[in-house]
Amino acid sequence: MGIQRKRSRRALPTLAVVTATGVVAAVVSVTATGTATAVPAKLVQDYSCVFPLINADPIKITITADIPAEIQKGQATPAFEITSDTLVSSRAAQGLGLVGAKTLEGKATADVTVNTPSGPLSGIKVENDVAKGNIPSPPADFTVVATGHAPSLTFDQVGDGSIDVNNISLHDMIARDANGKPVQLVTGKDTFDAACTLTSTDKTLHRFKVVDNNPTNPTNPTSPTNPTNPTSPTNPTSPTNPTNPTNPTSPTNPTNPTNPTSPTNPTNPTNPTNPNPPIHLSYGLTGSSSIKAANGTAALGGGIEADFDLASGSYKADLTLDPTTGKFSILGFLPATAKIEFQQVERTTGTLSTAGDLTAKSRMNVKLPEIAIFGIPLGGGANCGTGTPANINLTSDGRFDPLGGGKLKGVYTLPALKNCGAFNDILSAFTAGPGNAIDMTLAKKG
């Protein structure tokens, strides 16, 4: 265990807080070598930690240990064990499951202050290992347990002391898949870091006293004093004459009641903020689509901006497809080309499961500004295109990784053309119809 500290002239009490997606294993050395009785110590803290993919997410840490209430001055203390239970959210389990993670482990560093009788020792950095813990599937809240031990120390002044946990940071965390292979939550790295912020107010794990190990001698009892002689009783005094009663005062007139004030209008309630906002994911897109009736293909390019809701496993996205040119062979021997544009009718929707299965549903108007055979324009125009939107349903081809991307495929029907000029019906016959395949690859940006 590595410990960094600002004051090195005396042994420092230490505490290590470690976590797997928020698990704390703390170590504090305040156990006396004497016969002091240990008492239960407990600290519950709330943190918000920023993780890859899911961004900020809350964790709750419960630290417990048996620590003496008194410690003898000048005697070295042995190490003792402290246990930390951290409650991790189902949202975190969902996010880790989406990338195929089954276990989590790593390291964490705690920022600790030990308030000693001779003054506070701040800036103590304590590192510890996070034991491997399982991630539940299906996603659910889960608790991970960790333990740690402290080194020996000595106090040189009597008085009151306490141990405060100020904050934690997670680093060198590793999420592993079912085969034990690290899952790269950060591109190109097998580990990730997560900064945490304390959101609750209590920082004190334990309060203690440093006492002198030399008991003081009891004072000698004082000799009893001789009893005093009783005093003679005094003569009773004569009773005083009663005073005459005073005349009663006249009653005051009652005051007029005040008019009640009008009630104030209630204020409109504020809209609550979403505690779990969707995760924004951005992908580049490449691929191609084959048009069965026209016997040809068109290259695809563009991007997709998705807002993914972890709780429901669903997303909404803005799909953008760049203008392209398709090359076709009409009747198997007539070379034709078509300029193609795509217009999203409504946001793409879909789901992504923890098994990596992705679905996508899009509705697109397909525009054909120009259609030519042997290079001779035969149709097109600004309004030439499908009479109704094309419904394009895609599924992942293999596991889709939200942090990397993946392949999608699907088959769709191209609706009949409209407003394409004098040869509209002929051109529609050689382009519209079912059985059109689409294959694309999404690659995460950034």
Side-chain angles (χ1 to χ4, degrees), residues 98-100 351-360 394-402 404-410 439-442:
L98 287 175
V99 295
T351 60
L352 176 61
S353 72
T354 54
D357 298 324
L358 182 140
T359 65
L394 303 174
T395 58
S396 54
D397 184 11
R399 182 182 182 89
F400 186 87
D401 178 5
K407 295 182 178 181
L408 305 177
K409 63 180 181 179
D439 294 277
M440 65 174 62
T441 298
L442 299 184

Side-chain angles (χ1 to χ4, degrees), residues 166-199:
N166 303 314
N167 212 337
I168 62 170
S169 63
L170 312 180
H171 55 95
D172 300 313
M173 304 298 295
I174 304 174
R176 298 184 185 274
D177 63 16
N179 297 319
K181 181 180 178 181
V183 176
Q184 291 193 346
L185 295 175
V186 177
T187 303
K189 294 185 63 177
D190 290 343
T191 64
F192 69 91
D193 300 339
C196 297
T197 302
L198 181 65
T199 57

